[in-house]
Amino acid sequence: MGDPIGSAAVMNGVPEQVSVVTEEPQPSRRRFLRWVSGIGAAISGVLVGIPVIGSFVSPALAKAQPATWIKVAEDIALLDLGVPIRVDFVQNQNDAWVESRTQNAVWLYTEDGAKFKAYNGHCTHLGCSYYYDKDLKTFACPCHRGQFDVKTGAVLAGPPPRPLDELPVEIRDSAVFVNYRDFRLGVSERVGV
Ligand code: FES
């Protein structure tokens, strides 16, 4: 005999009603699940895309880092007049997720202890470090024999395409600060990097 209620339901056409009741919410549930999975995929795409986009954008932003004020002399009264001095310093740089340290230098020159000239320590040709030639009283680059005037930074000899890169100087109390930045090498115009 079996289950009388079940048999009666089948015999009375209840299965059709049951099938209607159970099938009706399925499309809306599927739509809901599709909607949820679509949102999830969109969020995943954004989360995955941020680092990828960042890897392209961040280096560009890193290059646009502002110039940095560096204290190059504690007391102007202690500087020799008419003789340039080289000041080396270490700079921390953040490029995307990489932090690096670079060694840079500036040359500081004054004739009277009141007006100062400061030059980026990289030769404008290919970036070598140059030195002060005491005999010739000029700056000399050992890489390709470039020469620069100490008072103006002008090119006197060799392949450098432009004068030394002059940097702004400020006296604060008795200390000397230089606004350090780098420029593109090997080109005649001065372009910041
Ligand atoms: S890098 Fe200085 S002359 Fe070439």
Side-chain angles (χ1 to χ4, degrees), residues 38-103:
I39 294 289
I43 292 172
S44 302
V46 169
L47 292 177
V48 169
I50 285 173
V52 174
I53 293 167
S55 67
F56 288 105
V57 172
S58 296
L61 293 177
K63 284 181 183 172
Q65 282 180 349
T68 312
W69 285 97
I70 308 285
K71 187 196 277 188
V72 294
E74 199 68 54
D75 191 345
I76 52 176
L78 300 177
L79 295 173
D80 288 335
L81 303 183
V83 181
I85 61 161
R86 177 187 164 108
V87 181
D88 294 288
F89 59 93
V90 173
Q91 247 185 333
N92 292 324
Q93 288 182 322
N94 291 313
D95 190 349
W97 293 276
V98 179
E99 187 176 331
S100 58
R101 306 182 87 207
T102 53
Q103 175 141 0

Side-chain angles (χ1 to χ4, degrees), residues 1-2 10 12 15 20 49 58 71 78 81 88 151 156 164 182 187:
M1 290 288 288
V10 170
N12 292 329
V20 170
S58 296
K71 187 196 277 188
L78 300 177
L81 303 183
D88 294 288
K151 296 179 185 175
L156 300 176
L164 291 174
D182 285 313
V187 293

